PDB file of all heavy atoms in Angstrom:
ATOM      1  N   ARG A 972     -10.871 -20.818 -14.915  1.00  0.00           N
ATOM      2  CA  ARG A 972      -9.945 -21.760 -14.295  1.00  0.00           C
ATOM      3  C   ARG A 972      -9.191 -22.594 -15.317  1.00  0.00           C
ATOM      4  O   ARG A 972      -8.025 -22.955 -15.097  1.00  0.00           O
ATOM      5  CB  ARG A 972     -10.713 -22.657 -13.312  1.00  0.00           C
ATOM      6  CG  ARG A 972     -11.158 -21.930 -12.049  1.00  0.00           C
ATOM      7  CD  ARG A 972     -12.220 -22.688 -11.286  1.00  0.00           C
ATOM      8  NE  ARG A 972     -13.500 -22.657 -11.996  1.00  0.00           N
ATOM      9  CZ  ARG A 972     -14.587 -23.302 -11.588  1.00  0.00           C
ATOM     10  NH1 ARG A 972     -14.547 -24.035 -10.486  1.00  0.00           N
ATOM     11  NH2 ARG A 972     -15.707 -23.213 -12.266  1.00  0.00           N
ATOM     12  N   ARG A 976      -5.181 -22.669 -15.464  1.00  0.00           N
ATOM     13  CA  ARG A 976      -4.462 -23.941 -15.409  1.00  0.00           C
ATOM     14  C   ARG A 976      -3.494 -24.061 -16.597  1.00  0.00           C
ATOM     15  O   ARG A 976      -2.369 -24.542 -16.435  1.00  0.00           O
ATOM     16  CB  ARG A 976      -5.441 -25.116 -15.398  1.00  0.00           C
ATOM     17  CG  ARG A 976      -4.766 -26.486 -15.293  1.00  0.00           C
ATOM     18  CD  ARG A 976      -5.775 -27.607 -15.333  1.00  0.00           C
ATOM     19  NE  ARG A 976      -6.465 -27.759 -14.055  1.00  0.00           N
ATOM     20  CZ  ARG A 976      -6.000 -28.486 -13.036  1.00  0.00           C
ATOM     21  NH1 ARG A 976      -4.822 -29.116 -13.143  1.00  0.00           N
ATOM     22  NH2 ARG A 976      -6.690 -28.599 -11.933  1.00  0.00           N
ATOM     23  N   ASN A 997      -3.891 -15.097   1.124  1.00  0.00           N
ATOM     24  CA  ASN A 997      -4.463 -15.712  -0.079  1.00  0.00           C
ATOM     25  C   ASN A 997      -3.497 -15.693  -1.258  1.00  0.00           C
ATOM     26  O   ASN A 997      -3.861 -15.353  -2.387  1.00  0.00           O
ATOM     27  CB  ASN A 997      -5.782 -15.029  -0.455  1.00  0.00           C
ATOM     28  CG  ASN A 997      -6.881 -15.319   0.550  1.00  0.00           C
ATOM     29  OD1 ASN A 997      -7.162 -16.470   0.862  1.00  0.00           O
ATOM     30  ND2 ASN A 997      -7.470 -14.269   1.093  1.00  0.00           N
ATOM     31  N   PHE A 999      -0.764 -18.317  -3.106  1.00  0.00           N
ATOM     32  CA  PHE A 999      -0.466 -19.750  -3.177  1.00  0.00           C
ATOM     33  C   PHE A 999       0.665 -19.995  -4.177  1.00  0.00           C
ATOM     34  O   PHE A 999       0.653 -19.448  -5.281  1.00  0.00           O
ATOM     35  CB  PHE A 999      -1.696 -20.544  -3.644  1.00  0.00           C
ATOM     36  CG  PHE A 999      -2.885 -20.445  -2.722  1.00  0.00           C
ATOM     37  CD1 PHE A 999      -3.785 -19.394  -2.850  1.00  0.00           C
ATOM     38  CD2 PHE A 999      -3.100 -21.398  -1.748  1.00  0.00           C
ATOM     39  CE1 PHE A 999      -4.890 -19.298  -2.012  1.00  0.00           C
ATOM     40  CE2 PHE A 999      -4.206 -21.320  -0.908  1.00  0.00           C
ATOM     41  CZ  PHE A 999      -5.096 -20.265  -1.043  1.00  0.00           C
ATOM     42  N   THR A1001       2.237 -22.966  -6.515  1.00  0.00           N
ATOM     43  CA  THR A1001       1.764 -24.238  -7.040  1.00  0.00           C
ATOM     44  C   THR A1001       2.595 -24.646  -8.242  1.00  0.00           C
ATOM     45  O   THR A1001       3.360 -23.846  -8.793  1.00  0.00           O
ATOM     46  CB  THR A1001       0.267 -24.149  -7.409  1.00  0.00           C
ATOM     47  OG1 THR A1001      -0.214 -25.442  -7.735  1.00  0.00           O
ATOM     48  CG2 THR A1001       0.046 -23.202  -8.584  1.00  0.00           C
ATOM     49  N   ASP A1005       0.784 -30.309  -9.317  1.00  0.00           N
ATOM     50  CA  ASP A1005       0.221 -30.230  -7.967  1.00  0.00           C
ATOM     51  C   ASP A1005      -1.203 -30.815  -7.967  1.00  0.00           C
ATOM     52  O   ASP A1005      -2.086 -30.302  -8.665  1.00  0.00           O
ATOM     53  CB  ASP A1005       0.194 -28.774  -7.517  1.00  0.00           C
ATOM     54  CG  ASP A1005      -0.239 -28.585  -6.074  1.00  0.00           C
ATOM     55  OD1 ASP A1005      -0.730 -29.552  -5.462  1.00  0.00           O
ATOM     56  OD2 ASP A1005      -0.066 -27.466  -5.561  1.00  0.00           O
ATOM     57  N   PRO A1006      -1.474 -31.859  -7.193  1.00  0.00           N
ATOM     58  CA  PRO A1006      -2.837 -32.419  -7.170  1.00  0.00           C
ATOM     59  C   PRO A1006      -3.849 -31.457  -6.568  1.00  0.00           C
ATOM     60  O   PRO A1006      -5.062 -31.641  -6.748  1.00  0.00           O
ATOM     61  CB  PRO A1006      -2.691 -33.685  -6.314  1.00  0.00           C
ATOM     62  CG  PRO A1006      -1.472 -33.459  -5.488  1.00  0.00           C
ATOM     63  CD  PRO A1006      -0.539 -32.632  -6.339  1.00  0.00           C
ATOM     64  N   ASN A1007      -3.374 -30.425  -5.858  1.00  0.00           N
ATOM     65  CA  ASN A1007      -4.274 -29.427  -5.279  1.00  0.00           C
ATOM     66  C   ASN A1007      -4.493 -28.227  -6.193  1.00  0.00           C
ATOM     67  O   ASN A1007      -5.156 -27.269  -5.776  1.00  0.00           O
ATOM     68  CB  ASN A1007      -3.717 -28.939  -3.941  1.00  0.00           C
ATOM     69  CG  ASN A1007      -3.798 -29.994  -2.861  1.00  0.00           C
ATOM     70  OD1 ASN A1007      -4.855 -30.578  -2.636  1.00  0.00           O
ATOM     71  ND2 ASN A1007      -2.681 -30.256  -2.205  1.00  0.00           N
ATOM     72  N   LEU A1008      -3.947 -28.242  -7.406  1.00  0.00           N
ATOM     73  CA  LEU A1008      -4.052 -27.070  -8.274  1.00  0.00           C
ATOM     74  C   LEU A1008      -5.514 -26.696  -8.530  1.00  0.00           C
ATOM     75  O   LEU A1008      -5.876 -25.510  -8.491  1.00  0.00           O
ATOM     76  CB  LEU A1008      -3.328 -27.328  -9.597  1.00  0.00           C
ATOM     77  CG  LEU A1008      -3.405 -26.211 -10.636  1.00  0.00           C
ATOM     78  CD1 LEU A1008      -2.919 -24.885 -10.066  1.00  0.00           C
ATOM     79  CD2 LEU A1008      -2.608 -26.591 -11.884  1.00  0.00           C
ATOM     80  N   GLY A1009      -6.364 -27.666  -8.768  1.00  0.00           N
ATOM     81  CA  GLY A1009      -7.775 -27.354  -9.009  1.00  0.00           C
ATOM     82  C   GLY A1009      -8.420 -26.671  -7.820  1.00  0.00           C
ATOM     83  O   GLY A1009      -9.182 -25.707  -7.973  1.00  0.00           O
ATOM     84  N   VAL A1010      -8.107 -27.146  -6.615  1.00  0.00           N
ATOM     85  CA  VAL A1010      -8.653 -26.532  -5.401  1.00  0.00           C
ATOM     86  C   VAL A1010      -8.134 -25.110  -5.246  1.00  0.00           C
ATOM     87  O   VAL A1010      -8.881 -24.193  -4.869  1.00  0.00           O
ATOM     88  CB  VAL A1010      -8.282 -27.378  -4.161  1.00  0.00           C
ATOM     89  CG1 VAL A1010      -8.773 -26.705  -2.892  1.00  0.00           C
ATOM     90  CG2 VAL A1010      -8.856 -28.778  -4.279  1.00  0.00           C
ATOM     91  N   ILE A1011      -6.843 -24.918  -5.536  1.00  0.00           N
ATOM     92  CA  ILE A1011      -6.258 -23.579  -5.433  1.00  0.00           C
ATOM     93  C   ILE A1011      -6.956 -22.616  -6.389  1.00  0.00           C
ATOM     94  O   ILE A1011      -7.324 -21.491  -6.010  1.00  0.00           O
ATOM     95  CB  ILE A1011      -4.744 -23.641  -5.712  1.00  0.00           C
ATOM     96  CG1 ILE A1011      -4.028 -24.353  -4.564  1.00  0.00           C
ATOM     97  CG2 ILE A1011      -4.170 -22.240  -5.927  1.00  0.00           C
ATOM     98  CD1 ILE A1011      -2.565 -24.659  -4.838  1.00  0.00           C
ATOM     99  N   LEU A1012      -7.171 -23.044  -7.613  1.00  0.00           N
ATOM    100  CA  LEU A1012      -7.831 -22.173  -8.586  1.00  0.00           C
ATOM    101  C   LEU A1012      -9.289 -21.930  -8.223  1.00  0.00           C
ATOM    102  O   LEU A1012      -9.815 -20.823  -8.422  1.00  0.00           O
ATOM    103  CB  LEU A1012      -7.711 -22.763  -9.989  1.00  0.00           C
ATOM    104  CG  LEU A1012      -6.277 -22.886 -10.523  1.00  0.00           C
ATOM    105  CD1 LEU A1012      -6.279 -23.513 -11.908  1.00  0.00           C
ATOM    106  CD2 LEU A1012      -5.585 -21.528 -10.553  1.00  0.00           C
ATOM    107  N   ASP A1013      -9.956 -22.924  -7.667  1.00  0.00           N
ATOM    108  CA  ASP A1013     -11.318 -22.721  -7.171  1.00  0.00           C
ATOM    109  C   ASP A1013     -11.336 -21.661  -6.078  1.00  0.00           C
ATOM    110  O   ASP A1013     -12.208 -20.783  -6.042  1.00  0.00           O
ATOM    111  CB  ASP A1013     -11.880 -24.028  -6.606  1.00  0.00           C
ATOM    112  CG  ASP A1013     -12.289 -25.016  -7.685  1.00  0.00           C
ATOM    113  OD1 ASP A1013     -12.387 -24.616  -8.860  1.00  0.00           O
ATOM    114  OD2 ASP A1013     -12.505 -26.193  -7.341  1.00  0.00           O
ATOM    115  N   THR A1014     -10.365 -21.758  -5.169  1.00  0.00           N
ATOM    116  CA  THR A1014     -10.297 -20.818  -4.045  1.00  0.00           C
ATOM    117  C   THR A1014      -9.998 -19.407  -4.525  1.00  0.00           C
ATOM    118  O   THR A1014     -10.649 -18.432  -4.107  1.00  0.00           O
ATOM    119  CB  THR A1014      -9.225 -21.275  -3.046  1.00  0.00           C
ATOM    120  OG1 THR A1014      -9.550 -22.584  -2.566  1.00  0.00           O
ATOM    121  CG2 THR A1014      -9.123 -20.316  -1.872  1.00  0.00           C
ATOM    122  N   LEU A1015      -9.020 -19.270  -5.409  1.00  0.00           N
ATOM    123  CA  LEU A1015      -8.629 -17.952  -5.895  1.00  0.00           C
ATOM    124  C   LEU A1015      -9.760 -17.269  -6.654  1.00  0.00           C
ATOM    125  O   LEU A1015      -9.959 -16.054  -6.532  1.00  0.00           O
ATOM    126  CB  LEU A1015      -7.403 -18.063  -6.802  1.00  0.00           C
ATOM    127  CG  LEU A1015      -6.081 -18.422  -6.128  1.00  0.00           C
ATOM    128  CD1 LEU A1015      -4.992 -18.653  -7.183  1.00  0.00           C
ATOM    129  CD2 LEU A1015      -5.637 -17.305  -5.181  1.00  0.00           C
ATOM    130  N   THR A1016     -10.493 -18.030  -7.443  1.00  0.00           N
ATOM    131  CA  THR A1016     -11.531 -17.440  -8.308  1.00  0.00           C
ATOM    132  C   THR A1016     -12.931 -17.563  -7.731  1.00  0.00           C
ATOM    133  O   THR A1016     -13.891 -17.172  -8.400  1.00  0.00           O
ATOM    134  CB  THR A1016     -11.521 -18.113  -9.689  1.00  0.00           C
ATOM    135  OG1 THR A1016     -11.914 -19.490  -9.548  1.00  0.00           O
ATOM    136  CG2 THR A1016     -10.145 -18.028 -10.349  1.00  0.00           C
ATOM    137  N   ASP A1017     -13.051 -18.092  -6.509  1.00  0.00           N
ATOM    138  CA  ASP A1017     -14.372 -18.361  -5.948  1.00  0.00           C
ATOM    139  C   ASP A1017     -15.193 -19.181  -6.952  1.00  0.00           C
ATOM    140  O   ASP A1017     -16.313 -18.823  -7.326  1.00  0.00           O
ATOM    141  CB  ASP A1017     -15.090 -17.057  -5.590  1.00  0.00           C
ATOM    142  CG  ASP A1017     -16.371 -17.290  -4.794  1.00  0.00           C
ATOM    143  OD1 ASP A1017     -16.517 -18.378  -4.193  1.00  0.00           O
ATOM    144  OD2 ASP A1017     -17.228 -16.382  -4.779  1.00  0.00           O
ATOM    145  N   SER A1018     -14.562 -20.268  -7.384  1.00  0.00           N
ATOM    146  CA  SER A1018     -15.173 -21.194  -8.350  1.00  0.00           C
ATOM    147  C   SER A1018     -15.581 -20.509  -9.652  1.00  0.00           C
ATOM    148  O   SER A1018     -16.650 -20.755 -10.216  1.00  0.00           O
ATOM    149  CB  SER A1018     -16.383 -21.906  -7.714  1.00  0.00           C
ATOM    150  OG  SER A1018     -15.966 -22.684  -6.610  1.00  0.00           O
ATOM    151  N   GLY A1019     -14.696 -19.613 -10.111  1.00  0.00           N
ATOM    152  CA  GLY A1019     -14.918 -18.960 -11.395  1.00  0.00           C
ATOM    153  C   GLY A1019     -15.728 -17.692 -11.338  1.00  0.00           C
ATOM    154  O   GLY A1019     -16.067 -17.131 -12.390  1.00  0.00           O
ATOM    155  N   ARG A1021     -14.758 -14.759  -9.669  1.00  0.00           N
ATOM    156  CA  ARG A1021     -14.003 -13.517  -9.506  1.00  0.00           C
ATOM    157  C   ARG A1021     -12.636 -13.665 -10.186  1.00  0.00           C
ATOM    158  O   ARG A1021     -12.131 -14.757 -10.386  1.00  0.00           O
ATOM    159  CB  ARG A1021     -13.813 -13.172  -8.024  1.00  0.00           C
ATOM    160  CG  ARG A1021     -12.901 -14.118  -7.268  1.00  0.00           C
ATOM    161  CD  ARG A1021     -12.791 -13.747  -5.813  1.00  0.00           C
ATOM    162  NE  ARG A1021     -11.924 -14.689  -5.111  1.00  0.00           N
ATOM    163  CZ  ARG A1021     -11.872 -14.798  -3.794  1.00  0.00           C
ATOM    164  NH1 ARG A1021     -12.639 -14.028  -3.028  1.00  0.00           N
ATOM    165  NH2 ARG A1021     -11.057 -15.674  -3.229  1.00  0.00           N
TER     166      ARG A1021
END
Side-chain angles (χ1 to χ4, degrees):
R972 288 164 289 176
R976 182 182 283 274
N997 291 307
F999 298 86
T1001 188
D1005 186 349
N1007 290 309
L1008 177 55
V1010 177
I1011 290 171
L1012 297 179
D1013 285 346
T1014 301
L1015 290 173
T1016 66
D1017 189 20
S1018 298
R1021 68 182 179 195

